[in-house]
Amino acid sequence: MLTMNVAVLLAVIIVLRLRCRVQTRSRLDEKFTGVIMLAFGVLIARQTSVREFWAS
């Protein structure tokens, strides 16, 4: 069974959303992209802290 890391999926979504021209984005699109980036940052920070915890 193929498993996909949620952080990798969010990174792909962010890249695809940021490739869109700035003039064509609505205010809602900007907010949604910001929320996705925040969730991505939380996931990355959580993975880093978990790895450091298990490494010690």
Side-chain angles (χ1 to χ4, degrees):
M1 179 171 238
L2 179 67
T3 59
M4 182 178 255
N5 192 350
V6 176
V8 173
L9 178 63
L10 282 178
V12 170
I13 291 172
I14 289 170
V15 167
L16 292 176
R17 291 188 63 83
L18 289 179
R19 288 183 53 175
C20 174
R21 291 179 56 92
V22 175
Q23 293 85 1
T24 61
R25 290 189 214 151
S26 69
R27 195 172 290 244
L28 183 63
D29 284 339
E30 291 290 331
K31 289 180 183 178
F32 185 62
T33 303
V35 168
I36 291 173
M37 288 182 165
L38 180 65
F40 178 70
V42 168
L43 285 172
I44 294 296
R46 184 171 175 238
Q47 286 178 356
T48 303
S49 64
V50 167
R51 286 183 187 151
E52 288 173 0
F53 174 75
W54 288 111
S56 60

